[in-house]
Amino acid sequence: MYKLFLTFRYLISKWVAVFSVLSVWLCVAMVLIVFSVMDGFLDNIKQHSRGLLGDIIIDNKTLQGFPYYDEFSVYLKEQMPGEIDVVTPVIYSYGIMREPRTKFTQPVRIVAIDFDAYCEVNDFYDSLYYERYYPNTTSLGPVQIPVAGVDSKGKPFLPQELEEAHQKYLKNRDESKVDKTDFDETNYNSPHGVGYFFNEYGTPAMEGDPLPGIVIGTDVAYSRNKEGQYDRGLQRGTKIILTILPLTSGGNIAENPIPVAMRNVDDSRTKVYEIDKVCVYVDFKLFQEYLSMGSLELVDGTYSKPRASQLLVSLTKGQDYNALQPKIEEVWAEFLGTLAGNVTPIDARLLETVGVDTWETRQQAFIQAVEKEKVLVTILFAIISIVAIVLIGVVFYMIVLQKTRDIGIIKSLGATSAGVAMIFIMYGAIIGVIGGILGILTGTTVVANINELQSWLASLNPKMQVWSPEVYTFDRIPSVVKPMVIFAVFCMAVLTSTLGALVPALKAAWVWPVKTLRYE
Amino acid sequence: MVLARATKLHKSYSLGKTKVSVLRGVNLEVNEGEMLAITGSSGCGKSTLLHILGALDAPDQGTVSFAGEDLFAAGTWRRDAVRNRDVGFVFQFYHLLPEFNVLENVLMPRMVGTSTLDWMSSRKSAIAKAGEILGTVGLKDRLKHRPKELSGGERQRVAIARAIMNEPRFLLADEPTGNLDAKMGKGIMDCLRSLNQKGQTIVLVTHDPLIAKQADRQVRLVDGRIEP
């Protein structure tokens, strides 16, 4: 009984214990905040990385791609009808994007997609900006320029098709999800909202030559301000020239670079800067021809097989992509077996390097880099925690030195050495529990309000803006508090505090009462 | 009846490189119910002998038997238990716990010897007993006072109350009046005398012949041995 009694009495009567609680408190809060931000960052990266891929990716990692993708798509669905949902081909290439009006040029990664299937296989649809506010108006097919005019009351008014689409959005929109900084519906030429050409003297109309549509990665063309808002300088329908370099199946340049005139129909923001900064999305069939990856007549009069860079596969609900990846690999091997003897040597070479990956293994390098950063941060904070242990150790050592005589008295009353050690070990554990609880409360409160806190700091002094949306992938500080992390951090707090108290506790246990009681 | 018996006790201390022999073959018997005074000059080993008798210190050689049990043949835990239940110490400098009030100090030996669960059930009776003992030593109205709020005599009476809280068979007092003036010293001796009259075995260490005279029996320690 005396152990509990003495522990609590020392706890409330020793001011020096407050420093131990404070150090544990701050350490726990700090670790929790850092872990939550790192976890949030990692989760966002994972979520968005998957967004533009499918569950399963099939490719040979070359620019010239591989043939028989269409036949395999059909074969795969036949072999695994219950597991495969959508299979869609993608072509990757590189080009130069030029905006003729401003002469602005930029190297881009071309992603040629079948728009509808690509939207089904991943989260691409959700990343589209204009499509969100004007549903079903984004298309990669030939499009004209939508020009806003004014109605009889002088209010800006878009062509009927777009106005109707916007009414649909307004009818179905979820007020809680509306990002006011993202869209200004009162002004078609808002610096941070939608951008449409506007004729203040005319009526709304679709003008200009119909040109293939191009969806631009948001960060390719636009930059963000400090509030994280994009300045959409290119109006919807702006003419874009995309210069491409076709490759033969042997990997040689097929012909001179081809400039393709297109219209900006939308922009895609996956929230992964590395994707949004370089990718533009175009129509698969059109660019398959432009990039010489379609069916071409060969010198012997036969036709080459069309090629795609990649096949993206989405699985039906509830399927485990890790479990199905080997099975799809087997189906691919079977499929190759059915082709044996009927494939040209060049095609055979392209086919033999085709591999089947899950989205996770494909993004592993990127995800692992962030995970390694997390490990690095964990190590840094482990070192800081050691400082906390040392601090607690020093504080307890001081307490033990101050209380040596008391320890002698308690031992003279019959207390065992283990009992005396337990007083200080319990003391350490209680400091860990109190500091841990306070730290978790502080940490979770800070994490829950981290963006508001940052805005407040920035309002005091702009230099205190620690998160720059124009630099980082995400415009808000991502954070997620996981119960397991809270539990682990709390246990670590109690454990480290107890460890900190261990050496002083052992010293207390070794106190020889006669020595301490002989003199005053 | 012999309550405690020390046989051929030897004890030495190291002072730097010098080894100082404090006890050199001490033989002593303490009878149940008696008040024994151990006298001797300063540094002659009186306190060391007292501490060994109370199992607070260990001899280099020799044995101490308490109620027939060889204390130093038993384990540490057994000696801790004996110290808690059968021995009460009163020190020259009182050695009260400063963070605890008078009542809590007196309750401490009971708490040390009781598990948390047992304490829950016996707490009230223990408090009543501590209050009763403090009443007998004249401190009934000082229960909630901290040691620093008491006079030297009062502190020593708290120390006596604490020493007898567990009704030990053996009360060991090390210069109990050494830090008090004559009047307060007399009060403490009256208190000890009264306990002895009720049957309490007391061993008293003092260098004051007047205090020693109040004991039933005196032994003198000279050069680490009991003077014949």
Side-chain angles (χ1 to χ4, degrees), chain A residues 143-147 159 197 205-209 236-239 263:
Chain A
V143 287
Q144 289 181 286
I145 312 166
V147 180
F197 287 103
M206 299 300 285
E207 293 178 0
D209 305 327
R236 202 175 190 192
T238 301
K239 192 174 180 182
R263 289 208 188 282

Side-chain angles (χ1 to χ4, degrees), chain A residues 1-2 4-6 9-10 13-14 403 405-406 408-418 512-514 516-520, chain B residues 13 48 51 56-58 77 80 83-84 89 91 93 95-101 104 108-109 111-112 114-116 119 146 162:
Chain A
M1 175 60 208
Y2 71 104
L4 265 178
F5 192 59
L6 264 78
R9 186 56 60 88
Y10 285 163
S13 63
K14 288 277 153 205
K403 290 284 150 204
R405 198 179 59 104
D406 287 15
I409 296 168
I410 296 160
K411 281 193 164 184
S412 76
L413 299 177
T416 61
S417 295
W512 193 239
V514 171
T516 64
L517 298 177
R518 188 158 289 163
Y519 308 105
E520 177 67 311
Chain B
Y13 292 112
T48 303
H51 291 150
L56 201 57
D57 202 352
W77 287 66
D80 291 336
R83 221 164 40 236
N84 178 250
F89 280 101
F91 300 100
F93 300 106
H95 291 322
L96 301 176
L97 297 168
E99 269 102 357
F100 300 86
N101 63 31
E104 289 163 345
M108 198 56 74
M111 283 197 228
V112 168
T114 315
S115 69
T116 307
W119 177 253
R146 292 281 174 95
R162 179 180 67 186

Side-chain angles (χ1 to χ4, degrees), chain A residues 304-518:
Chain A
S304 67
K305 280 285 174 188
R307 287 170 284 131
S309 308
Q310 202 169 62
L311 273 180
L312 297 181
V313 181
S314 75
L315 304 174
T316 49
K317 261 193 178 174
Q319 299 292 340
D320 177 6
Y321 50 84
N322 283 316
L324 286 185
Q325 183 265 341
K327 200 173 170 190
I328 295 173
E329 224 165 26
E330 278 173 30
V331 175
W332 173 255
E334 282 170 24
F335 175 73
L336 283 186
T338 64
L339 297 178
N342 301 321
V343 181
T344 64
I346 288 179
D347 283 353
R349 220 171 32 242
L350 292 175
L351 286 170
E352 73 189 16
T353 53
V354 171
V356 179
D357 283 329
T358 64
W359 70 272
E360 215 166 36
T361 48
R362 185 50 61 94
Q363 295 295 83
Q364 216 163 27
F366 187 43
I367 292 168
Q368 270 182 351
V370 182
E371 273 172 346
K372 276 178 188 165
E373 280 173 31
K374 196 176 151 187
V375 171
L376 190 70
V377 171
T378 309
I379 292 169
L380 287 176
F381 280 93
I383 293 168
I384 294 172
S385 299
I386 290 170
V387 175
I389 295 176
V390 171
L391 182 69
I392 291 167
V394 169
V395 167
F396 273 61
Y397 202 81
M398 280 170 59
I399 294 172
V400 168
L401 287 183
Q402 282 178 359
K403 290 284 150 204
T404 304
R405 198 179 59 104
D406 287 15
I407 294 163
I409 296 168
I410 296 160
K411 281 193 164 184
S412 76
L413 299 177
T416 61
S417 295
V420 168
M422 195 51 80
I423 294 170
F424 292 93
I425 288 170
M426 275 164 58
Y427 197 170
I430 289 170
I431 279 177
V433 169
I434 296 171
I437 291 171
L438 290 173
I440 284 165
L441 289 176
T442 310
T444 45
T445 308
V446 169
V447 168
N449 300 288
I450 197 160
N451 285 291
E452 289 73 14
L453 198 67
Q454 195 224 200
S455 304
W456 177 71
L457 285 173
S459 70
L460 294 178
N461 184 350
K463 285 182 181 170
M464 293 172 87
Q465 174 105 20
V466 289
W467 186 267
S468 304
E470 70 265 38
V471 175
Y472 291 105
T473 302
F474 313 108
D475 46 354
R476 283 170 73 81
I477 303 172
S479 57
V480 55
V481 185
K482 294 181 176 169
M484 265 312 289
V485 172
I486 291 181
F487 180 71
V489 170
F490 180 76
C491 289
M492 279 306 290
V494 178
L495 193 71
T496 51
S497 304
T498 312
L499 275 179
L502 197 61
V503 173
L506 290 175
K507 180 178 167 52
W510 281 107
V511 165
W512 193 239
V514 171
K515 279 187 186 172
T516 64
L517 298 177
R518 188 158 289 163

Side-chain angles (χ1 to χ4, degrees), chain A residues 26-315:
Chain A
L26 293 178
C27 258
V28 167
M30 193 166 58
V31 169
L32 199 62
I33 292 166
V34 170
F35 261 70
S36 300
V37 172
M38 291 300 288
D39 274 343
F41 198 75
L42 195 60
D43 284 0
N44 267 307
I45 292 275
K46 279 185 179 175
Q47 187 189 338
H48 294 298
S49 298
R50 184 183 189 175
L52 280 197
L53 297 169
D55 293 315
I56 301 285
I57 298 112
I58 302 164
D59 65 6
N60 65 355
K61 294 172 187 160
T62 64
L63 273 184
Q64 62 263 48
F66 64 97
Y68 297 98
Y69 67 89
D70 228 1
E71 290 84 344
F72 179 66
S73 301
V74 175
Y75 186 77
L76 184 63
K77 281 184 181 174
E78 282 171 3
Q79 297 301 311
M80 300 171 71
E83 291 106 331
I84 305 297
D85 186 17
V86 181
V87 185
T88 184
V90 180
I91 291 173
Y92 295 108
S93 185
Y94 290 90
I96 297 168
M97 191 187 92
R98 179 168 176 266
E99 207 260 290
R101 202 176 44 175
T102 58
K103 316 283 189 280
F104 169 85
T105 56
Q106 191 165 341
V108 289
R109 187 178 196 213
I110 298 166
V111 185
I113 57 171
D114 174 337
F115 186 80
D116 293 335
Y118 196 67
C119 288
E120 272 186 71
V121 90
N122 59 33
D123 299 335
F124 177 69
Y125 187 82
D126 296 334
S127 74
L128 296 173
Y129 179 73
Y130 285 97
E131 183 65 14
R132 194 177 317 145
Y133 304 115
Y134 302 91
N136 302 318
T137 59
T138 296
S139 152
L140 298 178
V143 287
Q144 289 181 286
I145 312 166
V147 180
V150 285
D151 63 9
S152 55
K153 291 175 186 166
K155 186 184 166 224
F157 199 77
L158 280 168
Q160 192 67 25
E161 172 200 350
L162 291 167
E163 283 297 337
E164 280 174 9
H166 188 55
Q167 289 307 318
K168 251 189 231 170
Y169 155 74
L170 291 176
K171 206 174 162 185
N172 300 322
R173 80 170 168 181
D174 181 353
E175 286 296 337
S176 65
K177 287 182 183 169
V178 176
D179 185 351
K180 299 283 183 197
T181 63
D182 202 25
F183 177 60
D184 181 359
E185 62 183 274
T186 62
N187 186 350
Y188 291 128
N189 252 330
S190 154
H192 308 306
V194 292
Y196 281 105
F197 287 103
F198 182 55
N199 180 0
E200 59 183 309
Y201 302 110
T203 52
M206 299 300 285
E207 293 178 0
D209 305 327
L211 295 174
I214 180 170
V215 172
I216 304 168
T218 308
D219 291 287
V220 172
Y222 312 129
S223 55
R224 273 189 282 178
N225 61 20
K226 282 186 176 173
E227 281 73 45
Q229 294 170 314
Y230 282 96
D231 178 4
R232 286 189 162 73
L234 294 181
Q235 286 93 339
R236 202 175 190 192
T238 301
K239 192 174 180 182
I240 301 284
I241 305 294
L242 189 61
T243 305
I244 56 171
L245 210 58
L247 290 179
T248 66
S249 54
N252 294 313
I253 293 172
E255 48 191 296
N256 288 333
I258 304 170
V260 184
M262 312 187 81
R263 289 208 188 282
N264 162 35
V265 291
D266 211 330
D267 58 85
S268 157
R269 185 158 175 249
T270 64
K271 296 187 179 174
V272 178
Y273 186 75
E274 288 71 13
I275 294 171
D276 298 339
K277 182 66 184 161
V278 293
C279 289
V280 295
Y281 305 86
V282 294
D283 183 61
F284 179 82
K285 284 286 174 206
L286 186 70
F287 271 74
Q288 193 177 41
E289 296 305 319
Y290 283 150
L291 290 165
S292 301
M293 292 177 83
S295 186
L296 299 172
E297 188 178 0
L298 304 174
V299 283
D300 58 2
T302 59
Y303 284 85
S304 67
K305 280 285 174 188
R307 287 170 284 131
S309 308
Q310 202 169 62
L311 273 180
L312 297 181
V313 181
S314 75
L315 304 174

Side-chain angles (χ1 to χ4, degrees), chain B residues 26-103:
Chain B
V26 170
N27 293 305
L28 180 69
E29 285 182 354
V30 182
N31 297 315
E32 188 144 31
E34 76 168 334
M35 186 171 184
L36 172 69
I38 302 171
T39 60
S41 56
S42 230
C44 71
K46 306 184 293 290
S47 296
T48 303
L49 177 58
L50 193 79
H51 291 150
I52 292 173
L53 285 174
L56 201 57
D57 202 352
D60 297 336
Q61 283 176 46
T63 58
V64 174
S65 68
F66 180 81
E69 180 186 2
D70 186 347
L71 277 185
F72 294 97
T76 316
W77 287 66
R78 175 68 193 137
R79 283 198 292 280
D80 291 336
V82 167
R83 221 164 40 236
N84 178 250
R85 280 199 293 272
D86 297 320
V87 179
F89 280 101
V90 177
F91 300 100
Q92 180 181 356
F93 300 106
Y94 335 121
H95 291 322
L96 301 176
L97 297 168
E99 269 102 357
F100 300 86
N101 63 31
V102 166
L103 181 66

